[in-house]
Amino acid sequence: MTAGSEIDTMAAMAESFAPAVADDLASGGIRARFRLAYAGFALDVDLALPGRGVTALFGHSGSGKTTCLRCVAGLERAGDGLLAVNGEVWQDSAHGVFVPTHKRALGYVFQEASLFPHLTVKRNLEFGQKRIPAAHRRVAWDQAVELLGIGHLLDRMPERLSGGERQRVGIARALLTSPRLLLMDEPLAALDLKRKNEILPYLERLHDELDIPVLYVSHAPDEVARLADHVVLLDQGRVVAQGGLQQTLARLDLPTAFSDDAGVVIEALVGEHDDAYHLTRLDFPGGDVLVARRPEAPGQRLRFRVHARDVSLATTRIEGSSITNALLATVQEVAAADTPAHVLVRLDASGTALIARITRRSLDQLGIVVGRKVWAQIKAVALLG
C-alpha cells in the first residue's frame, strides 16, 4: 500500500462489518493478538484492553508500538492474528476472517496531519464525513468542531495553520468518520513543547466527552501519565506489562522502562482554596496535598504525578520542615533501582500508591522493611493539566 493510498484509506473509514464469529469475542472490550516477523524484528502480542477510555501503547523506539497499531488498522496483516473491537471481529486468522482497512470503523491520526493542501479546513473535514452515510454518523459536525476548537479555522488553507492547528483538524477529520475505535500514532511527536501544551487540553476533552476507545502510541511518559487510563508497555515486540495506569506505574519490576522518570499518577478532587497563601488542597484516598492555587472549583477532578525522586522517607513526622506534604504510609515492597546506590520503595498510603527513590544507606539506617509505617514526604507535585 502506498503512502497516498494509506492516507486515503484511513480517511474513508467505511461502515463496520459483519457479526462476530466466536461467542467468546462477542462481549465488550478490545481483544488483540498478533504474531508476525520481519528481518531482525518480531511482534508477538496478546492484549485484553478496555472497550472505552484511552489505552497507551508505551515503550522505547523500536519496541513495536506502531507495528501493533498498524496491525489493528489492518495496514499490516499478521499471519497469526485475532482482533475484536467491542464485539465486532475484524480479524480471525483461524477462521479466515480479515476485514480490510477501508471496512474497519476506525479513525487514524498520524504524526503528521496529512491534510489535503488544496482544500480548506472545512472541505478537509467534509472529505472525512461524506464517506459515512448520514444514518451511521455517531459524531456530529458541530461536536467535532467545538471539541477541537477549530470553528475559526474552517475557511483557512492548511498552509496557514500552525502545527498544532493542523493536528487538531486531522483529529476532527478522523472523528467525523464516526469511528468505533480511534488510533493515534504519536500525534504530538512532530510538535514543539508550546504546541504540545496547546493540543493536550483538546485530547483531554476527547477523553472526557466522547465514548470512543482510543489506542494512543507514545514514548513520552508525561503524555501517558496525563492522558491514559490503561497502559501497555512494549519492549522488543513483546508485552512487558499491561493494566490500569495507576497500578502499572506503581510496579517496581519495570524500572528500566521508565528510567529515572519512575513515579505514580494520583486522581484527586479539588478541596479548599487558601486565598491567603494562594494554595489549593487536593484530596484523595489516603490524604491530601497542597499545591499552588488552581483555577478549578472545589469538587473538580485533577490528575497529578509524583516522581519517585521527589519522595523522601522518615520514620517519624518531621516538624519545622518546608516540606508541607507528608503522608503516613506502609512499606509494601523494596526493589533495586537503576543505580547500585539506590532502591525503589513502594508504599501504600491508605489505598494510594507511592514510590520513593532513596539510597541503600538510608534504607539500612532507617530500618525500612516491608510492613513498616513511614512518613512519605512529597517534595514536588506535577499537575497534569
Side-chain angles (χ1 to χ4, degrees), residues 113-237:
S114 301
L115 302 179
F116 295 107
H118 61 292
L119 300 180
T120 64
V121 167
K122 181 179 179 181
R123 292 188 64 195
N124 265 281
L125 298 180
E126 289 172 342
F127 181 86
Q129 187 184 47
K130 70 182 181 181
R131 301 298 185 97
I132 305 301
H136 295 164
R137 292 174 186 169
R138 303 169 62 234
V139 179
W141 174 279
D142 290 345
Q143 184 182 21
V145 169
E146 195 275 331
L147 276 174
L148 277 303
I150 57 174
H152 63 296
L153 304 175
L154 295 178
D155 293 328
R156 290 194 195 176
M157 301 300 291
E159 65 183 14
R160 295 183 53 222
L161 303 177
S162 69
E165 288 170 341
R166 282 195 298 272
Q167 199 64 311
R168 281 153 55 194
V169 172
I171 295 169
R173 184 174 67 178
L175 289 178
L176 285 171
T177 65
S178 294
R180 296 186 181 278
L181 177 64
L182 182 62
L183 309 179
M184 307 187 83
D185 188 3
E186 301 204 60
L188 307 184
L191 304 179
D192 58 30
L193 181 60
K194 181 179 179 180
R195 299 307 178 195
K196 285 183 181 180
N197 290 334
E198 167 193 304
I199 200 171
L200 275 167
Y202 293 100
L203 296 181
E204 288 175 320
R205 290 193 66 188
L206 297 182
H207 172 277
D208 294 339
E209 298 183 32
L210 287 182
D211 190 22
I212 298 173
V214 179
L215 296 187
Y216 188 97
V217 165
S218 178
H219 64 270
D222 286 345
E223 288 178 33
V224 174
R226 183 164 176 174
L227 298 172
D229 305 296
H230 195 88
V231 178
V232 175
L233 179 61
L234 293 171
D235 185 39
Q236 297 182 354

Side-chain angles (χ1 to χ4, degrees), residues 92-111:
D92 185 349
S93 57
H95 294 82
V97 175
F98 184 84
V99 178
T101 299
H102 70 279
K103 290 188 176 180
R104 300 187 183 195
L106 58 86
Y108 204 126
V109 179
F110 298 92
Q111 291 183 21

